[in-house]
């Protein structure tokens, strides 16, 4: 019976929900409906190790070789079920049965896939072929660390031409905080340069997760340093900031050190960001 079908919810982003290798549906609290996920890292490999990451068995590395034919078959079949079938009625709560985007996120850094430019072209062709067009934007959720590579820039430029967006991860503004939160030794100036490159190629939002570490919220100095990174990138070039907290449990060893900020605390941080002239969207 339809009532027994598994139903999507915002707190469970199970990559295996639909039983496919590359394609999975989620209810996105930030997008406000169904997001068709593209997972180019089914090997759970990422070049970062974010403390709040919900990917189990996360390992350091890059995406494996992508089977483009399999990806095309999976995405085509799933879009057919969404557009022409009853998938939304069977698996999505009433009121949220809208396809909001096709998002490259998954279990690692999507731009690490060697085939990333080809994948962008493939997904755009299928999206348009099913009549979704620009009403269902393509979004790449990325840590931006590979933005200086020519193949990544080619793909991001094509994403912009397709009416898509980059959601660029920036969680901190000091080298120490970046290493603690994202697990990489990275100069904030490099983050700013990569962010500026992304914004020049494609509409770009900054995606920021903030939380308590060992019970302590982000210090004012840390927030100021974070804002300095956005200003160095050219805040007038950015679409805005997607600010959110830790709503789902981390699957990393650092999970015991993380706890959520209150709505009031997140809104106070959002107010500081807004003073820099940036649009801010807050979600828990």
């Amino acid at each position: 019976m339809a009532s027994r079908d598994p139903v999507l919810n915002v707190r469970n982003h199970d990559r295996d929900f639909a039983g496919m290798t590359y394609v999975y549906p989620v209810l996105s609290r930030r997008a406000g409906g169904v997001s068709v996920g593209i997972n180019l890292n089914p090997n759970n490999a990422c070049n970062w190790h974010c403390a709040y990451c919900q990917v189990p068995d996360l390992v350091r590395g890059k995406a494996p070789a992508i089977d483009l034919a399999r990806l095309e078959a999976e995405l085509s079949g799933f879009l057919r079920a969404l557009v022409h079938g009853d998938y939304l009625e069977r698996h999505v709560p009433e009121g949220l049965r809208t396809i909001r985007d096709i998002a490259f996120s998954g279990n690692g850094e999507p731009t690490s896939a060697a085939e990333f430019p080809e994948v962008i072209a493939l997904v755009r062709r299928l999206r348009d072929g099913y009549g979704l067009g620009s009403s269902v934007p393509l979004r790449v959720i990325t840590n931006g660390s590979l933005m200086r590579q020519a193949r990544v820039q080619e793909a991001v430029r094509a994403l912009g031409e397709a009416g898509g967006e980059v959601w660029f991860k920036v969680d901190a503004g000091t080298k120490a905080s970046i290493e603690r939160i994202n697990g990489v030794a990275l100069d904030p100036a490099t983050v700013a340069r990569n962010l500026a490159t992304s914004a020049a190629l494609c509409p770009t939002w900054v995606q920021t997760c903030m939380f308590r570490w060992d019970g302590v919220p982000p210090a004012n100095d840390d927030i100021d340093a974070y804002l300095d990174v956005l200003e160095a990138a050219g805040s007038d070039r950015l679409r805005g900031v997607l600010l959110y907290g830790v709503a789902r449990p981390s699957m990393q060893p650092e999970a015991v050190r993380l706890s959520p900020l209150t709505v009031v605390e997140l809104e106070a941080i959002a107010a500081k960001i807004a003073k820099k002239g940036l649009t801010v969207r807050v979600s828990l």
Side-chain angles (χ1 to χ4, degrees), residues 102-262:
I102 300 176
F104 296 82
S105 178
N107 290 9
E109 174 51 43
T111 66
S112 68
E115 302 85 357
F116 188 56
E118 291 85 354
V119 171
I120 292 289
L122 183 159
V123 173
R124 180 185 185 182
R125 173 169 54 81
L126 289 177
R127 179 200 66 175
D128 294 350
Y130 279 95
L132 298 174
S134 59
S135 65
V136 178
L138 307 184
R139 292 188 169 112
V140 171
I141 301 172
T142 175
N143 61 36
S145 61
L146 305 178
M147 198 60 66
R148 304 301 291 178
Q149 295 186 8
R151 63 175 186 84
V152 175
Q153 292 185 20
E154 172 193 347
V156 171
R157 183 180 291 107
L159 181 72
E161 292 169 354
E165 296 177 341
V166 171
W167 288 9
F168 191 112
K169 172 60 58 182
V170 183
D171 295 319
T174 68
K175 189 171 183 179
S177 293
I178 292 169
E179 187 161 9
R180 173 167 53 87
I181 295 170
N182 304 122
V184 288
L186 191 60
D187 192 313
T190 300
V191 177
R193 285 194 296 271
N194 287 341
L195 180 56
T197 297
S198 178
L201 296 170
C202 180
T204 297
W205 288 82
V206 171
Q207 188 188 49
T208 299
C209 184
M210 290 197 178
F211 45 84
R212 282 183 171 81
W213 185 281
D214 293 337
V216 180
N220 287 332
D221 286 350
D222 286 329
I223 295 172
D224 289 343
Y226 159 83
L227 293 172
D228 287 344
V229 170
L230 304 193
E231 287 193 300
S235 54
D236 58 323
R237 303 176 184 174
L238 303 173
R239 289 299 175 96
V241 174
L242 306 171
L243 177 65
Y244 67 106
V246 284
R248 300 187 304 277
S250 167
M251 299 297 288
Q252 310 314 313
E254 298 87 352
V256 295
R257 310 190 72 174
L258 312 183
S259 57
L261 296 171
T262 66

Side-chain angles (χ1 to χ4, degrees), residues 10-32:
V10 296
R11 295 186 180 276
N12 182 7
H13 285 194
D14 184 0
R15 310 297 195 243
D16 297 321
F17 186 90
M20 292 181 280
T21 298
Y22 298 115
V23 178
Y24 64 98
V26 298
L27 273 186
S28 171
R29 57 199 167 118
R30 287 183 292 281

Side-chain angles (χ1 to χ4, degrees), residues 39-113:
N39 181 15
L40 300 184
N41 303 77
N43 58 349
N44 294 358
C46 188
N47 60 343
W48 283 22
H49 176 97
C50 294
Y52 53 80
C53 183
Q54 291 106 31
V55 175
D57 305 316
L58 185 69
V59 296
R60 295 278 187 174
K62 63 180 182 179
I66 304 301
D67 184 338
L68 294 173
R70 182 168 190 168
L71 171 58
E72 179 165 7
E74 288 186 357
L75 183 57
S76 180
F78 191 62
L79 291 179
R80 185 181 305 114
L82 290 174
V83 174
H84 301 301
D86 63 352
Y87 191 94
L88 292 173
E89 288 73 18
R90 290 191 296 115
H91 296 286
V92 180
E94 192 173 353
L96 293 170
R97 293 170 183 166
T98 302
I99 307 168
R100 290 298 186 188
D101 65 11
I102 300 176
F104 296 82
S105 178
N107 290 9
E109 174 51 43
T111 66
S112 68

